[in-house]
Amino acid sequence: MDRHPTSAGRWQLAARAQRMQPSALRELLKVAERPDIISFAGGLPSPCALPVERLQAAVQRILQRDAVAALQYGPSEGYLPLRETIAERLSKRGAAVSPSQVLVTTGSQQGLDLVARILVDPGSSVLIETPTYLGAVQALAQYEPVFEEVPADAAGLLPERLTEASMRRARLLYTQPNFQNPTGRTLAPERRIALVSRATRHGLLLVEDDPYGELVYSGVTPASLLSMAPGSVVHLGSFSKVVAPGLRVGYLVAPEALMGKLLQAKQASDLHTTGITQRLVHALLNDGEYDAHLDAIRRRYRAQCALMLSCLAEHMPDGVTWSRPTGGMFLWVTLPAEIDSTLLFEDALARGVAFIPGASFHAVAPKANTLRLTFTTATPSQIESGIARLAQAIRARLRPTEPHRPVAPPARERIDRSAVLQAQA
Amino acid sequence: MDRHPTSAGRWQLAARAQRMQPSALRELLKVAERPDIISFAGGLPSPCALPVERLQAAVQRILQRDAVAALQYGPSEGYLPLRETIAERLSKRGAAVSPSQVLVTTGSQQGLDLVARILVDPGSSVLIETPTYLGAVQALAQYEPVFEEVPADAAGLLPERLTEASMRRARLLYTQPNFQNPTGRTLAPERRIALVSRATRHGLLLVEDDPYGELVYSGVTPASLLSMAPGSVVHLGSFSKVVAPGLRVGYLVAPEALMGKLLQAKQASDLHTTGITQRLVHALLNDGEYDAHLDAIRRRYRAQCALMLSCLAEHMPDGVTWSRPTGGMFLWVTLPAEIDSTLLFEDALARGVAFIPGASFHAVAPKANTLRLTFTTATPSQIESGIARLAQAIRARLRPTEPHRPVAPPARERIDRSAVLQAQA
């Protein structure tokens, strides 16, 4: 590894700053925000899913009854009633968690940063599923690990591909088991058992990132890794997808042995998470309407996901396959090997539709013939029109001499069953 | 430097985690919160200074008119109208700043973390004034620098004590030029000129941390380092002391060459600062009442500072000296050399009064015979009673055989003039 410091203008930078690079994805997202573009690019919740009125009511109550505490410095661990509610909700989902193991973070992105900061030295091995969440790669990469990619298929990462040496070597393994960003896939229950069993045997710390676990559309979310091996798991949670991302409230749950250093890293990072937004999340979780709110989001996203799946089946040419998520926000499309989705992005944009090229979601070896579609933000008519246009762009790349060939009729047999995600028990 | 990783329980930690230690100060602060204690310990604004009603009005407007933007993901750089307002306010104070140089941070603590993260390698030299702000030491220490302390007196750090070699070697110099935490001292204008001149000549980056600059009680705040050498200064600002700390909104201003890496570090840290609180700060800065609000805070704190100074003059025994701040929140007391303020803390607590021992505020060599007093949070009668009790505790340590000797009458000639901070031009 190159340990020579880099520089910016006249200033000598830390070696880790070399690993911080401008995000091509951010540039793509800016383009995708143009009003003439149907965007399947951003990983946002639907504006219709934001509980604006409940937040208005809650913020008034907080500033009337609890203003000074909400506005003064607060504990670095987080607002205790919120930590208690989080512990209680996780316990209901089968993980026996004490509030003392809960640290409120400024979004779960901060949880990733803190975990990486206390665990990763330059050159440390970090196991990471592939493809994976770009924000995790960015957070981890700052601390200069050597990434080792863990292969995965439609049912998640493959525990049997983890060697004993790699597990003993790695400081942590990062995974999103539920409705993963970017693929929408879910780690199968039997693989969870295998992963936890191997990790505990070989002293591997599992970082379970679970921002989408409550967004389940069919069946139930499988048992968390945290519930299976609380002493070997750091669990990251977020209210960005189920309340509002702009609040920047997430949390982590960690083994007691790690809490001290995580807390010290949190203090050094931002002292504590915003007092008002922590109280807002606590109020929403406890106002008696949270489950109804979750149900409404699930119904909305379930319908949008189903519509996008049917549009894909209707419009996509042979050789294009996609995941069938049972929750979350994303679909993953695999194109014929000859199509580079970064080039396809330009064609699609010219047709008024945007997505994220799959190369953005790999820590080491990008796969150029993949792309991510978000099904949560577009309207039904935008989904219909956007998928049709995307299919046209793909067809044009497949047959560059016949760019205007009419769209083929739907053919159910073209669906690649190997990509189907199993509904979870 | 010891580069061997440490561990927590079964888990191998990053080497930098060794430098993260539980804060003794946090434990002291917990004790100081007891209702029977008069606390001069916490570095909090007065609850009376929090603009609760204006925040209530502003948050309603934001959630009525701009809810979706406030609640969705936002730009990592920060809310543009807030960045524009910050640039404008700094420009009025003589620093020509473009909004493109302003990055909104989750409190200025995050600014410190980001600056340290992109600039400091293990073993890098970092120049830091002494005594200094504990939060800065904590943020910097995570990235494993070698601290070199810059000596200071009552008029701030001594630029002539910076050698050419130390300036060329250091990645940055950290200072709080205005009403410093913990001493309340202000860097004299002629020293600012000397510091900036030496720094620009020898390629030293100055990190100017200025959370208290607007809290000026006599004269005016001297010209900022930023205004004198914008190309050589990272300037950190905060709304914690003039609006509310619990909002966690601060900012940094940096040379354009550093903005890219700072932005990438910000993205990896928490994506962006809370949307609602950024809009709240923007609303308060622009509602036409901000200057009146600042004036009210200044009047309040000026009176409290003056009262504490007169109580110190009245009660303190010979050999005790203190700073005379012209702004900010803190007074710095120097005890006779034989008194260890950490031991004194226990005596003072037994008498119902708390402060922060000065040893907490040094990056390298603690000075045991110093302590910090906050004058912003206690009531006038608490200040009177608390300083009298503190003086008793000091007298008891000076003459352990006569612990109940009556308090001496005030004597103006006992004031150590060498500690007087010059009123700023």
Side-chain angles (χ1 to χ4, degrees), chain A residues 231-306:
Chain A
S232 293
V233 173
V234 175
H235 181 93
L236 304 176
S238 171
F239 296 102
S240 292
K241 308 309 188 290
V242 290
V243 180
L247 298 180
R248 310 308 303 125
V249 180
Y251 58 90
L252 64 78
V253 178
E256 296 280 5
L258 295 176
M259 290 304 291
K261 295 293 182 188
L262 288 167
L263 181 64
Q264 291 146 28
K266 167 72 181 169
Q267 285 167 22
S269 291
D270 63 3
L271 300 182
H272 67 84
T273 294
T274 307
I276 291 178
T277 55
Q278 290 191 74
R279 283 166 176 78
L280 276 174
V281 169
H282 175 256
L284 261 68
L285 291 174
N286 289 286
D287 71 359
E289 294 177 47
Y290 183 70
D291 289 335
H293 162 75
L294 259 189
D295 280 346
I297 299 182
R298 287 179 186 140
R299 272 197 306 277
R300 169 182 292 275
Y301 291 170
R302 180 189 297 125
Q304 291 181 224
C305 180

Side-chain angles (χ1 to χ4, degrees), chain B residues 118-425:
Chain B
I118 73 156
L119 289 168
V120 178
D121 279 310
S124 295
S125 166
V126 162
L127 292 162
I128 192 159
E129 62 184 330
T130 183
T132 193
Y133 170 53
L134 175 65
V137 175
Q138 289 177 325
L140 288 158
Q142 301 180 103
Y143 302 100
E144 305 171 83
V146 175
F147 286 114
E148 298 188 51
E149 293 191 323
V150 183
D153 63 18
L157 66 81
L158 294 154
E160 70 271 22
R161 298 287 289 273
L162 293 166
T163 65
E164 185 178 332
S166 72
M167 286 187 280
R168 294 206 173 278
R169 186 167 57 228
R171 292 286 170 89
L172 61 92
L173 179 148
Y174 172 81
T175 180
Q176 282 188 350
N178 298 321
F179 325 125
Q180 194 228 23
N181 180 357
T183 60
R185 74 189 174 205
T186 292
L187 186 61
E190 63 277 12
R191 293 199 187 169
R192 296 181 188 226
I193 295 168
L195 175 62
V196 159
S197 152
R198 294 167 72 86
T200 50
R201 196 173 336 131
H202 301 296
L204 173 64
L205 183 69
L206 300 174
V207 177
E208 176 179 45
D209 188 9
D210 188 26
Y212 311 106
E214 293 196 294
L215 295 179
V216 55
Y217 311 138
S218 69
V220 295
T221 309
S224 65
L225 304 179
L226 179 70
S227 69
M228 300 164 80
S232 293
V233 173
V234 175
H235 181 92
L236 303 176
S238 170
F239 297 101
S240 293
K241 308 309 187 290
V242 289
V243 181
L247 298 180
R248 309 308 303 129
V249 180
Y251 58 90
L252 64 79
V253 178
E256 295 280 5
L258 295 177
M259 289 304 289
K261 294 294 181 188
L262 287 167
L263 181 63
Q264 291 146 29
K266 167 72 179 168
Q267 285 167 22
S269 291
D270 64 2
L271 300 182
H272 66 85
T273 295
T274 307
I276 291 179
T277 55
Q278 291 192 71
R279 283 166 176 79
L280 276 175
V281 170
H282 175 256
L284 261 67
L285 291 174
N286 289 285
D287 71 359
E289 294 176 46
Y290 183 70
D291 289 335
H293 162 75
L294 259 189
D295 280 345
I297 299 181
R298 286 178 186 139
R299 272 197 306 277
R300 169 182 292 276
Y301 291 170
R302 179 189 296 125
Q304 291 181 226
C305 181
L307 176 62
M308 193 177 274
L309 286 169
S310 84
C311 292
L312 287 164
E314 185 178 335
H315 295 293
M316 284 296 154
D318 280 347
V320 177
T321 61
W322 51 89
S323 63
R324 268 88 181 157
T326 56
M329 300 169 59
F330 306 109
L331 274 168
W332 185 246
V333 176
T334 303
L335 304 168
E338 68 267 30
I339 300 187
D340 180 334
S341 65
T342 306
L343 302 176
L344 179 70
F345 181 83
E346 298 299 327
D347 304 352
L349 213 58
R351 287 176 159 85
V353 61
F355 57 81
I356 302 287
S360 300
F361 302 102
H362 295 79
V364 182
K367 288 220 176 73
N369 65 325
T370 55
L371 60 90
R372 188 190 77 177
L373 299 176
T374 305
F375 54 77
T376 54
T377 41
T379 63
S381 68
Q382 286 177 322
I383 291 176
E384 288 174 2
S385 165
I387 295 297
R389 296 186 205 181
L390 177 59
Q392 285 172 357
I394 293 170
R395 285 177 192 282
R397 283 250 153 214
L398 283 172
R399 296 174 186 81
T401 53
E402 318 165 49
H404 299 295
R405 180 172 171 275
V407 168
R412 301 294 301 168
E413 65 278 12
R414 283 209 305 270
I415 297 171
D416 180 351
R417 296 286 167 196
S418 73
V420 175
L421 287 171
Q422 303 303 311
Q424 305 305 326

Side-chain angles (χ1 to χ4, degrees), chain A residues 60 71 73 117 142 241 246, chain B residues 60 71 117 142 241 246:
Chain A
Q60 275 312 333
L71 295 172
Y73 285 112
R117 194 181 309 175
Q142 301 180 101
K241 308 309 188 290
Chain B
Q60 276 311 336
L71 295 172
R117 194 181 309 178
Q142 301 180 103
K241 308 309 187 290

